Amino acid sequence: MAGTGRIWWKDGVVYQIYPASYQDSNADGLGDIPGIISKIDYIKDLGIDIVWLSPMYESPQHDMGYDVSDYESVYPPYGTVADIEALIEACHSRGMRLILDLVVNHTSDEHAWFKESRSSKTNPKRDWYIWRPAKYAEDGTKMPPNNWRSFFSGSVWEWDEETQEYYLHLFAKQQPDLNWENPVTRRAIYNSAMEFWLSKGVDGFRIDTVNMYSKGTAFPDAPIVDEGIFEQPASGLFCNGPRMHEFLREMNQQVLSKYDTMTVGELPSTPDPAHVLRYVGANDRQLDMVFQFDLVDLGTGKPHKYEYEGYKLSDLKEVVSRWQTFIAGTDGWTTAFCENHDQGRSVSRYASDAPEWRERSAKMLAMMMCAMTGTLFIYQGQEIGMINAPKDWPIEDYKDIESINYYNSVAERTNRDPKALDRVMKGIQVLGRDHPRLPMQWDDSPFAGFTSSKAGAWMRTHDSYKDINVASQVKDPKSVLSFWKQMLKIRKEYKDVFIHGEFQGLDMENEQTFVFSKKYGAKKALIVLNFTADEQGFKMPVEDGKLDFLVGNIQDADGTKARLQGYEGRIYFVN
Ligand code: GLC
Ligand code: CA
């Protein structure tokens, strides 16, 4: 159903909900589906068209539900299948759609399929996962089949005592990878994880780690980039394997083409625009769009993400420009996002979360995002300008497996060297996956109105909830929330230019301001953003035509001042 025409999932704005942290309805400290339903009018009122729900399936929760033990049931603390049906109805009756998270690169090790698979070498489901014999070093030491490092530290191979083989897990050892080479496995995935929900009226999927299903069968060693440790980063070897496009075409033919769906695939480690285009070309039915990660990966360290290195504004401009323009002249489609459940908060990463700049810079980022071509994704709390956890929170307040495992691996490797651990903490303070998972800040009552449990929320509530919360922003026309609503209206009113327009970056070397134009036919908008706390000069490109001020993030400004204030943003039409 893709094509160059206007389709609901192109013009629609998506709102991502992380069920654990949105709203607790029964005072157990954990968010749940009825809690989400109770907020559905708030979501509609924001200007949302499509809700994306992060995994709510049955799961032992080693990776917050990205370890699914049964695709056809709901994690009981979140609710029931009937609750999801009620959520579908709540969305549909308000003219919104609902997409789920499809996590089918791996299952939980508690999934019935894996329990059978590991039960014996001759079990019919043995081949549904990836099993390999040990290698042996010259001195007879047992070694895993290769040196690949898992995303959550340590080897991707886990030894199974019972059947004396290793199984592959690109993520946690409780997340064994499914064997997509086996057609029977693929069919089971389509039935259980996809058709089950599509037949209930779900409108599509955000597809987890979509480019890792095909990883070849040879498993060569990765080159050594992290000296002094056996396991090496290997995503270049297991992403975008030889049968990737074939599998996605099959998934379309056999399942998706029967429904009016949208798909957005998570596409890490794919830096080449030509390669990304192969996934999103409309005629070659694979994926409708993908998340490419260059923007949210800015400053991440090699050899490990949490060895944060920082970045320059010109880097940000360059990556935004690349992924805004790569579909030009093609039938592909793109996405615009700067937050999700795996990323630090955008205000803290790209702008300023200092009290004096927080609101204005959140509004400036809203302007940048709402002016971008592609389907726009907003993550819960982004609309009120939620920020990263305070820097004085100790590691004990962080819960995520990725942060904890890396912290512990460095602690072990360096014999708890305070300098090394300090570096890791600095990285986690910027990039940690826990920041976006803190409870949604609804009001100024205890635990931010997220839960009425006396014991509090499952995750520490951000200290800022009295200053940053929905209740106060709903009634304040000058709030970040009111500004997002206004910007989403503007985006839709001028959708040609903002959703479908041609992006052009201007003055790309400038390290203080980000200026770009969006053009559609004879219509042209100019977006001017000051990414610093200082005043900046701004030369009106008058040769272009007359600038008519459309909107800005400073109260009562009319866009005529030659100088931009700190974190000021303006959008003009060029006439
Ligand atoms: C994706 C998810 C992330 C999860 C991983 C494994 O990257 O966004 O949260 O840990 O896949 O499923
Ligand atoms: Ca609950």
Side-chain angles (χ1 to χ4, degrees):
M1 267 135 284
T4 45
R6 299 290 163 89
I7 301 171
W8 58 269
W9 45 257
K10 289 191 174 178
D11 291 355
V13 176
V14 186
Y15 186 74
Q16 182 189 353
I17 295 181
Y18 200 67
S21 306
Y22 202 56
Q23 176 70 64
D24 175 19
S25 75
N26 61 351
D28 65 354
L30 191 68
D32 45 56
I33 312 300
I36 297 169
I37 296 175
S38 74
K39 296 297 182 185
I40 206 79
D41 286 317
Y42 164 77
I43 297 167
K44 174 73 187 167
D45 194 46
L46 174 60
I48 298 305
D49 307 287
I50 303 158
V51 173
W52 151 25
L53 188 59
S54 279
M56 75 308 161
Y57 311 100
E58 181 66 273
S59 163
Q61 304 289 338
H62 291 287
D63 184 21
M64 293 304 295
Y66 283 91
D67 47 328
V68 182
S69 54
D70 182 359
Y71 293 108
E72 299 171 33
S73 58
V74 172
Y75 180 52
Y78 288 161
T80 60
V81 172
D83 287 327
I84 294 293
E85 288 170 328
L87 179 61
I88 296 172
E89 170 58 21
C91 289
H92 286 180
S93 65
R94 287 164 180 79
M96 295 191 290
R97 317 257 183 164
L98 179 70
I99 66 170
L100 299 181
D101 221 303
L102 181 63
V103 190
V104 290
N105 173 70
H106 42 267
T107 67
S108 160
D109 62 344
E110 295 183 29
H111 195 292
W113 297 344
F114 187 71
K115 288 187 186 162
E116 280 191 52
S117 183
R118 85 183 314 172
S119 66
S120 85
K121 278 184 176 155
T122 53
N123 186 280
K125 291 202 174 65
R126 181 64 170 185
D127 186 45
W128 286 35
Y129 294 83
I130 300 167
W131 294 94
R132 288 289 184 279
K135 276 186 174 171
Y136 291 91
E138 269 169 26
D139 66 358
T141 318
K142 179 164 64 62
M143 300 285 288
N146 68 18
N147 67 354
W148 295 1
R149 181 166 84 195
S150 97
F151 283 102
F152 298 151
S153 302
S155 172
V156 298
W157 298 101
E158 178 71 11
W159 181 247
D160 181 61
E161 274 301 332
E162 192 74 24
T163 57
Q164 296 285 304
E165 276 188 327
Y166 284 97
Y167 66 84
L168 180 86
H169 61 90
L170 297 182
F171 294 88
K173 64 171 189 269
Q174 298 89 351
Q175 291 167 299
D177 281 50
L178 283 158
N179 179 18
W180 275 71
E181 301 289 328
N182 182 336
V184 181
T185 314
R186 299 205 294 279
R187 191 62 246 172
I189 293 170
Y190 301 154
N191 285 341
S192 184
M194 300 180 78
E195 299 264 14
F196 179 83
W197 294 104
L198 289 168
S199 65
K200 293 189 184 305
V202 158
D203 299 289
F205 300 102
R206 174 269 190 185
I207 310 187
D208 195 60
T209 57
V210 76
N211 59 344
M212 300 178 200
Y213 305 163
S214 166
K215 38 217 152 209
T217 49
F219 301 107
D221 273 337
I224 292 165
V225 300
D226 201 353
E227 301 278 347
I229 177 172
F230 176 71
E231 294 88 9
Q232 299 295 318
S235 56
L237 290 169
F238 58 68
C239 289
N240 306 309
R243 300 183 68 188
M244 221 29 262
H245 301 287
E246 174 197 335
F247 291 157
L248 291 175
R249 285 186 199 112
E250 178 188 87
M251 181 191 267
N252 257 282
Q253 267 157 19
Q254 297 198 12
V255 189
L256 294 165
S257 61
K258 294 191 271 174
Y259 304 86
D260 178 18
T261 59
M262 105 170 214
T263 55
V264 51
E266 199 196 19
L267 205 72
S269 301
T270 313
D272 177 7
H275 196 170
V276 177
L277 269 177
R278 293 184 56 199
Y279 284 96
V280 298
N283 281 328
D284 184 8
R285 309 287 300 119
Q286 293 183 44
L287 296 166
D288 292 326
M289 60 191 116
V290 296
F291 296 128
Q292 203 287 340
F293 289 96
D294 282 355
L295 174 59
V296 290
D297 282 348
L298 279 175
T300 56
K302 327 163 186 92
H304 193 282
K305 166 179 172 183
Y306 289 139
E307 304 289 337
Y308 185 65
E309 289 165 4
Y311 68 93
K312 299 200 302 272
L313 183 65
S314 54
D315 302 332
L316 180 147
K317 289 159 48 161
E318 208 264 314
V319 298
V320 168
S321 170
R322 185 177 333 139
W323 299 107
Q324 280 287 282
T325 54
F326 86 108
I327 53 166
T330 76
D331 64 354
W333 189 239
T334 190
T335 55
F337 74 102
C338 64
E339 289 196 12
N340 64 34
H341 65 292
D342 294 329
Q343 307 298 334
R345 290 288 185 180
S346 58
V347 172
S348 303
R349 285 192 64 184
Y350 309 111
S352 171
D353 57 13
E356 65 274 34
W357 296 116
R358 194 183 69 221
E359 291 185 16
R360 193 188 289 172
S361 70
K363 293 176 187 174
M364 184 203 67
L365 292 175
M367 295 175 77
M368 174 172 89
M369 298 314 297
C370 289
M372 280 197 197
T373 287
T375 299
L376 174 63
F377 290 78
I378 302 173
Y379 180 76
Q380 68 182 43
Q382 187 179 354
E383 76 276 19
I384 56 169
M386 282 179 66
I387 56 177
N388 277 359
K391 300 233 181 340
D392 59 5
W393 282 22
I395 188 71
E396 289 72 29
D397 283 327
Y398 290 83
K399 303 264 175 266
D400 175 40
I401 184 169
E402 183 185 69
S403 302
I404 306 291
N405 282 8
Y406 187 62
Y407 186 92
N408 289 340
S409 77
V410 172
E412 196 181 314
R413 217 205 295 185
T414 65
N415 206 4
R416 302 200 68 85
D417 172 24
K419 258 182 135 169
L421 289 178
D422 195 50
R423 257 187 77 78
V424 176
M425 272 320 281
K426 288 222 160 64
I428 292 176
Q429 284 160 3
V430 181
L431 302 167
R433 305 200 305 177
D434 281 307
H435 301 297
R437 302 175 182 190
L438 305 190
M440 179 72 183
Q441 291 164 209
W442 292 106
D443 59 36
D444 62 5
S445 66
F447 310 110
F450 162 76
T451 180
S452 53
S453 155
K454 295 271 169 304
W458 70 280
M459 173 99 209
R460 182 170 169 182
T461 312
H462 199 294
D463 309 61
S464 70
Y465 71 92
K466 292 206 165 131
D467 299 318
I468 307 176
N469 65 64
V470 171
S472 65
Q473 294 196 22
V474 163
K475 45 180 201 258
D476 175 5
K478 298 197 287 284
S479 67
V480 174
L481 177 63
S482 298
F483 191 78
W484 263 105
K485 289 186 194 173
Q486 183 193 356
M487 282 308 306
L488 290 175
K489 286 206 182 92
I490 290 176
R491 175 175 173 84
K492 287 181 183 168
E493 189 177 343
Y494 305 102
K495 62 171 79 158
D496 284 353
V497 169
F498 294 129
I499 304 180
H500 297 269
E502 206 178 289
F503 174 100
Q504 195 189 353
L506 304 163
D507 195 10
M508 292 292 279
E509 250 77 280
N510 187 316
E511 299 289 356
Q512 286 78 40
T513 60
F514 186 9
V515 180
F516 59 93
S517 67
K518 291 295 300 288
K519 215 176 135 205
Y520 190 91
K523 291 180 231 168
K524 185 171 177 182
L526 187 74
I527 296 89
V528 182
L529 310 166
N530 179 2
F531 269 79
T532 72
D534 302 319
E535 276 196 16
Q536 300 295 340
F538 156 59
K539 210 166 100 270
M540 308 256 184
V542 270
E543 58 281 9
D544 240 331
K546 187 163 79 61
L547 293 185
D548 289 325
F549 185 63
L550 176 68
V551 62
N553 63 350
I554 294 185
Q555 204 62 25
D556 300 325
D558 62 4
T560 56
K561 289 215 170 64
R563 291 185 80 71
L564 298 163
Q565 296 183 41
Y567 294 105
E568 181 172 3
R570 302 176 188 173
I571 299 182
Y572 301 92
F573 271 110
V574 185
N575 288 311

